[in-house]
Amino acid sequence: LKGWIWASKVNCMVSPEELCWVPSLDHRSGDACSIQLEPSDFREEDFTLKRKGKPVKGLEEYRKSCRLRERAKKDTARCFLSHFEAFWDGLYKKSLQASDLQRLEQALRVPRVMEDALVFCLQDLDPRGLIKPLEELQSLFSKDLPKKSAAELVQDLGSLRAAQFRELQRIARGQTGPFRADEIQMSLEKAKIKPDRVLQSLKDLDWKFKDSAVRRRNDWLLLQMWKDEQEAAVLVKRLTYSVGAIGLVLLGGYAVMLSQK
């Protein structure tokens, strides 16, 4: 009679926000923290996530959210996103499906750690305080963060990435320079940093860009070193291809000579 007289699964309700805690760094203290994201209906193919409330120190809220998502995947219960949906037992909207949770987890896997670390550095705070929190977060996102030590990441963020972001702001103001915005943008995104999200976080902190001729000159020195490294890498790649092609030609000629003997 199970499934006929009474439901084979227990109905339960969970708020979308409870499922959407992510680990990151506090913008002011640099501590590892849990941040809550507010999703649009993630049962739809296209949905958005935006920050909600203030960060909570530590990673316990994030871990609780992970456990909750794991429970929602089990086949002993049907999870709905409101009491109303649970009461009507799926007549109004279906319960959470495995595909819904997979889509949500995929969106949550996109780390914002590098962006939050850059926000911290752009406030001219001591970036060395980020090393231990970054080490803790690297253990959670080992596949999604750049393959560098925490100390190397902090060095990169506090120098090149901060200089790149500041130069983007100058270009947005109409100031001209020797560096292209699209190249800088691509470099930041390759480092897991979306400049528009960094800028929004800074606006939320009432950050004001304090520029000067000395700061821009120092930024340009860093950016020129970055460009020189890029060009050197391209040159090495071309030389490698050229040497390989010459080797193939010589090998082919040698094979022909052997066949004629």
Side-chain angles (χ1 to χ4, degrees):
L1 296 177
K2 191 175 182 181
W4 290 85
I5 295 179
W6 62 82
S8 58
K9 295 183 180 181
V10 175
N11 286 358
C12 61
M13 175 268 177
V14 59
S15 69
E17 293 84 359
E18 288 180 282
L19 299 169
C20 297
W21 286 88
V22 294
S24 199
L25 296 165
D26 187 278
H27 291 158
R28 296 191 185 279
S29 68
D31 295 328
C33 64
S34 298
I35 294 174
Q36 193 174 36
L37 302 178
E38 183 178 12
S40 57
D41 194 340
F42 57 81
R43 289 171 293 193
E44 304 294 335
E45 287 295 330
D46 296 320
F47 68 94
T48 58
L49 292 164
K50 63 179 181 180
R51 288 185 185 235
K52 181 181 180 181
K54 296 182 179 180
V56 176
K57 187 174 182 179
L59 300 178
E60 183 53 34
E61 293 298 331
Y62 161 71
R63 294 191 173 102
K64 282 163 57 177
S65 183
C66 290
R67 292 194 294 268
L68 193 56
R69 291 198 302 270
E70 286 303 312
R71 289 176 188 171
K73 292 178 186 177
K74 295 183 181 297
D75 57 6
T76 55
R78 294 198 302 171
C79 289
F80 295 89
L81 297 182
S82 71
H83 290 294
F84 182 81
E85 293 177 17
F87 176 81
W88 288 104
D89 198 19
L91 293 176
Y92 172 65
K93 276 196 175 182
K94 292 182 179 179
S95 61
L96 289 178
Q97 306 297 306
S99 58
D100 299 327
L101 291 164
Q102 288 172 359
R103 187 162 53 250
L104 176 63
E105 288 187 333
Q106 184 61 37
L108 295 175
R109 282 294 302 174
V110 179
R112 298 167 187 246
V113 175
M114 296 296 289
E115 294 166 7
D116 291 328
L118 181 55
V119 169
F120 183 86
C121 292
L122 285 164
Q123 297 173 81
D124 296 326
L125 301 170
D126 186 355
R128 291 174 296 180
L130 293 174
I131 293 177
K132 286 187 177 180
L134 269 176
E135 287 175 342
E136 186 176 6
L137 292 172
Q138 276 182 311
S139 64
L140 300 173
F141 287 119
S142 58
K143 295 181 180 179
D144 302 298
L145 293 177
K147 309 302 180 189
K148 296 180 179 179
S149 69
E152 289 172 326
L153 287 177
V154 168
Q155 172 65 28
D156 184 52
L157 287 161
S159 54
L160 175 60
R161 305 306 171 186
Q164 288 178 324
F165 182 83
R166 286 191 291 264
E167 188 62 18
L168 277 183
Q169 304 317 301
R170 296 182 186 109
I171 294 171
R173 291 178 175 183
Q175 295 177 252
T176 58
F179 307 101
R180 287 169 40 193
D182 59 336
E183 289 181 334
I184 295 174
Q185 178 106 9
M186 190 180 300
S187 176
L188 285 169
E189 290 184 356
K190 191 175 179 181
K192 313 292 185 182
I193 297 168
K194 289 191 177 294
D196 56 338
R197 291 207 299 229
V198 173
L199 182 59
Q200 184 57 56
S201 295
L202 288 166
K203 285 180 178 178
D204 293 341
L205 294 169
D206 294 324
W207 176 77
K208 298 292 186 292
F209 180 23
K210 298 176 182 178
D211 202 9
S212 67
V214 173
R215 169 162 270 180
R216 192 173 198 191
R217 184 167 63 249
N218 291 337
D219 286 350
W220 278 15
L221 287 173
L222 288 167
L223 292 170
Q224 190 57 55
M225 289 171 59
W226 161 66
K227 285 287 290 181
D228 290 344
E229 288 175 3
Q230 277 192 321
E231 290 170 2
V234 170
L235 181 60
V236 168
K237 196 173 183 179
R238 287 176 180 172
L239 286 173
T240 303
Y241 285 149
S242 299
V243 170
I246 292 169
L248 287 173
V249 170
L250 293 175
L251 185 60
Y254 182 65
V256 170
M257 288 174 59
L258 288 176
S259 65
Q260 292 175 349
K261 287 184 179 181

